[in-house]
Amino acid sequence: MGITQFLQQDDWKKEKHVPVIEIEGTVEKGKVVSIHLSVGKGIPHPNTTEHHIRWFKLFYHANGEKHPYHLGTYQFEAHAESIEGANKGPAKCEPDVRTSVLLEKPGQLIAMSYCNIHGIWENSIEFEI
Ligand code: FE2
C-alpha cells in the first residue's frame, strides 16, 4: 500500500485543498522560469492555528525518464499561534509561493499540498518546450 493510498485528487475549482500549479510565461531551454504554487484559488482554504496548509512539495518528471525530480519543499510555519492563545498571534503564512527553476525537457510538474486536518492532495500539469 504505502503513501499513495492517501493521495487525494480533485478539480481545484471545486476543492479547496488541491494545489494549483501555474507556469509564469513559457518553459524554454536554457531559460529560468517561475512556477507559482497556491491552494484555494477556486474556494479559499481556512488559515487558522487549528486548520491550515502546512507545506507544498513540487516534483518534475521529464518525459521518457523513469523517476521524478524533487524541485522543492515549501513550509508554512506561522498560523497565528501566540502565547495569548490560538489565532491571537500577529503572523500567518499564506499557502502561496513562487520558485524559479530551469527545466530542459518537456514533461510534467506534480505538486502536493498538506492540510493538517484533511491530508495530502496532489495535482499535475503537462508542459511543452
Ligand atoms: Fe483543510
Side-chain angles (χ1 to χ4, degrees):
M1 296 292 278
I3 195 75
T4 54
Q5 68 185 303
F6 299 114
L7 296 179
Q8 305 169 86
Q9 297 177 328
D10 208 330
D11 179 350
W12 62 262
K13 289 174 184 155
K14 292 185 295 192
E15 167 51 56
K16 63 192 174 191
H17 293 95
V18 179
V20 180
I21 310 164
E22 295 169 291
I23 298 172
E24 298 184 327
T26 55
V27 182
E28 294 173 42
K29 246 178 159 3
K31 185 183 151 203
V32 172
V33 67
S34 178
I35 311 294
H36 180 210
L37 299 176
S38 60
V39 70
K41 196 179 177 86
I43 308 166
H45 186 275
N47 190 355
T48 65
T49 304
E50 300 88 354
H51 184 194
H52 52 262
I53 301 296
R54 191 76 56 85
W55 51 252
F56 292 154
K57 284 184 180 288
L58 180 63
F59 296 88
Y60 162 50
H61 179 251
N63 289 346
E65 295 204 6
K66 185 172 181 184
H67 300 292
Y69 297 90
H70 180 208
L71 296 177
T73 297
Y74 313 97
Q75 302 277 144
F76 309 110
E77 305 280 10
H79 301 283
E81 303 89 338
S82 169
I83 196 164
E84 293 167 17
N87 299 304
K88 304 276 194 216
K92 281 186 181 180
C93 294
E94 289 295 323
D96 186 295
V97 70
R98 278 183 173 76
T99 187
S100 296
V101 294
L102 187 67
L103 305 169
E104 297 283 9
K105 294 180 178 175
Q108 189 180 38
L109 290 169
I110 304 150
M112 297 163 70
S113 61
Y114 175 66
C115 167
N116 68 323
I117 303 286
H118 299 108
I120 309 169
W121 296 76
E122 70 170 349
N123 193 15
S124 62
I125 60 169
E126 308 258 337
F127 64 90
E128 298 296 327
I129 291 188

